Amino acid sequence: MAIITCPNCGKQISDKAENCVHCGTLLQLSKRNVCTECGTELEDGIEICPSCGCPIDQHQNIAAIAPQQVEITGVRMTNKIKKVVLIAGTALILIIVAIFGIVQVQKKRAAEEAKKIKQEYVTNLNTITYTMLDGCSKAETCCNMIKSVWSNAIYEEEDKKTDKYTRPYGFFLSDFNDALENLFDDSSFLSKADNVSDNQDMVNSLMKKMKKPPEEYKEAHDKMLEFYDEYIILTNLATNPSGSLQTYSNSFNESDTKAVNCYKALEVYLEE
């Protein structure tokens, strides 16, 4: 006797067994000869059933067994199909989960990048605004001094702050341009004017970083550009005065007022 594996359940059984002792599967043809009509057990060689008179087919047991074998084969095929479907379904679920995970990672990265761009823009907006405000303050000081020297030179007004430019020899110069030239030759004033020029260079460098603002900061960007325009006018008046005293004074007063108003309009967008 040898040990074999049941083709249905996979457990080990005797090769002499007609049925699997574990799952009941028919393993080999029965050696018994029975009448298919009444079930009476027959002796070998009998052609007519002694109980019911039904003719006996010598191959009837094989025919009776065949459907069971077909059924077993069908069960095997069904199990294989189920396994394939299960594997395919599992793979599909894993693919869907992987795709979902990738999409979520991409969304997270995009959100982080947008947040980074926004923070960088806000930082630059604060920096350029306060740099322009500082430049306006420096320019205002220079413009007031220019206007005082210019006015006192024309109207021959004595002033301790301007006398060394308007009356360096104890009397007023005949040409106010000479007084302004003396002012710009003074190292102290020239240092202040140079600071205004350096401030302009810094602001212009920062302006290169202010392109393509985030959607929610486009209005703030427009306000910043308005402030920049007035800032340039005011700082140029501090470093390169021209025209008459009247036009210069009017331009300075107008630009100074507009610059302050532009800053106030922009201030609401700045972070503390």
Side-chain angles (χ1 to χ4, degrees):
M1 181 180 71
I3 299 300
I4 62 173
T5 300
C6 174
N8 184 51
C9 66
K11 295 184 179 180
Q12 292 184 338
I13 55 175
S14 171
D15 64 343
K16 301 298 184 181
E18 295 182 3
N19 297 82
C20 175
V21 296
H22 302 289
C23 65
T25 299
L26 183 64
L27 302 173
Q28 55 180 290
L29 298 178
S30 174
K31 295 180 179 179
R32 296 180 301 165
N33 190 16
V34 296
C35 176
T36 57
E37 185 69 23
C38 64
T40 301
E41 187 171 349
L42 307 173
E43 294 180 3
D44 292 338
I46 293 180
E47 297 180 355
I48 298 176
C49 176
S51 297
C52 66
C54 179
I56 302 301
D57 185 350
Q58 296 299 323
H59 302 288
Q60 64 184 358
N61 291 324
I62 296 177
I65 295 170
Q68 178 69 19
Q69 292 176 325
V70 173
E71 182 180 351
I72 293 172
T73 303
V75 170
R76 290 179 185 174
M77 291 300 294
T78 302
N79 288 340
K80 288 182 179 180
I81 293 173
K82 286 182 178 179
K83 289 181 180 179
V84 172
V85 172
L86 179 62
I87 293 172
T90 302
L92 180 60
I93 291 173
L94 292 175
I95 292 172
I96 293 174
V97 170
I99 293 175
F100 179 78
I102 292 172
V103 171
Q104 292 302 113
V105 170
Q106 290 177 340
K107 286 183 178 179
K108 183 178 180 181
R109 288 179 179 175
E112 290 176 350
E113 183 65 22
K115 182 179 179 181
K116 181 180 177 181
I117 293 173
K118 177 181 175 181
Q119 289 176 340
E120 184 177 352
Y121 182 85
V122 171
T123 298
N124 290 334
L125 180 64
N126 277 264
T127 301
I128 194 172
T129 299
Y130 290 123
T131 302
M132 288 193 293
L133 184 65
D134 181 57
C136 286
S137 177
K138 288 180 170 65
E140 186 179 49
T141 299
C142 291
C143 288
N144 278 324
M145 191 61 179
I146 292 171
K147 189 171 66 170
S148 295
V149 170
W150 202 334
S151 177
N152 291 343
I154 292 175
Y155 297 106
E156 297 185 352
E157 294 285 344
E158 293 187 14
D159 187 330
K160 291 181 179 180
K161 294 181 179 180
T162 62
D163 282 351
K164 62 179 179 179
Y165 309 119
T166 60
R167 47 196 308 272
Y169 309 112
F171 55 88
F172 286 98
L173 298 173
S174 58
D175 191 342
F176 69 87
N177 287 307
D178 293 336
L180 292 175
E181 185 176 342
N182 289 337
L183 175 64
F184 276 89
D185 285 340
D186 181 72
S187 59
S188 177
F189 180 82
L190 185 59
S191 176
K192 294 177 182 179
D194 287 342
N195 286 338
V196 174
S197 296
D198 292 341
N199 185 272
Q200 280 185 336
D201 293 338
M202 187 181 302
V203 168
N204 288 330
S205 178
L206 289 170
M207 281 294 292
K208 297 177 182 179
K209 301 179 181 181
M210 302 306 296
K211 298 178 180 179
K212 296 181 180 180
E215 184 66 29
E216 62 268 38
Y217 279 90
K218 285 188 176 181
E219 185 174 345
H221 183 76
D222 293 339
K223 297 297 182 183
M224 183 272 295
L225 292 178
E226 292 176 7
F227 186 24
Y228 174 77
D229 290 341
E230 293 305 323
Y231 160 83
I232 290 297
I233 294 174
L234 183 59
T235 52
N236 284 341
L237 288 171
T239 58
N240 187 29
S242 60
S244 65
L245 174 61
Q246 186 64 42
T247 59
Y248 181 83
S249 297
N250 291 340
S251 296
F252 165 59
N253 292 333
E254 182 180 359
S255 181
D256 191 35
T257 300
K258 286 184 177 181
V260 171
N261 292 335
C262 286
Y263 167 73
K264 289 181 178 180
L266 180 59
E267 190 177 16
V268 297
Y269 300 98
L270 305 179
E271 291 188 350
E272 295 295 335

